[in-house]
Amino acid sequence: DMTQVLTGAADATISAVVLSFNASRQLDRCLGALSQALDELGTGNEVLVFENGSADGSAEVLRQWAQRR
C-alpha cells in the first residue's frame, strides 16, 4: 500500500519525487535539504514522497514533516 505526502502549490513548476522504504533515519535530513534547494530556486515547487509500507516508522516521520511545512 503506497501513501503519498504532498507539499507545495498546485501551480508548481518543479516536482521532486522521493521514493522511501525503511528510510526513517534519513528522511528528515533528505527532505530538509531538498526543500531548501527547491526554495532557493525561487519557483513554485512540490515534493512528492511515495512511502511503500516501511516497517521502521517512515510514514510517521513523513506525517510529522508535512505538518511542519
Side-chain angles (χ1 to χ4, degrees), residues 8 11 29 46-47 59-60 64:
D11 61 347
R29 188 175 72 224
E46 64 184 355
V47 176
E60 182 59 29
Q64 291 173 3

Side-chain angles (χ1 to χ4, degrees), residues 26-37:
Q26 295 85 18
L27 281 171
D28 197 51
R29 188 175 72 224
C30 171
L31 295 174
L34 178 59
S35 293
Q36 181 179 354

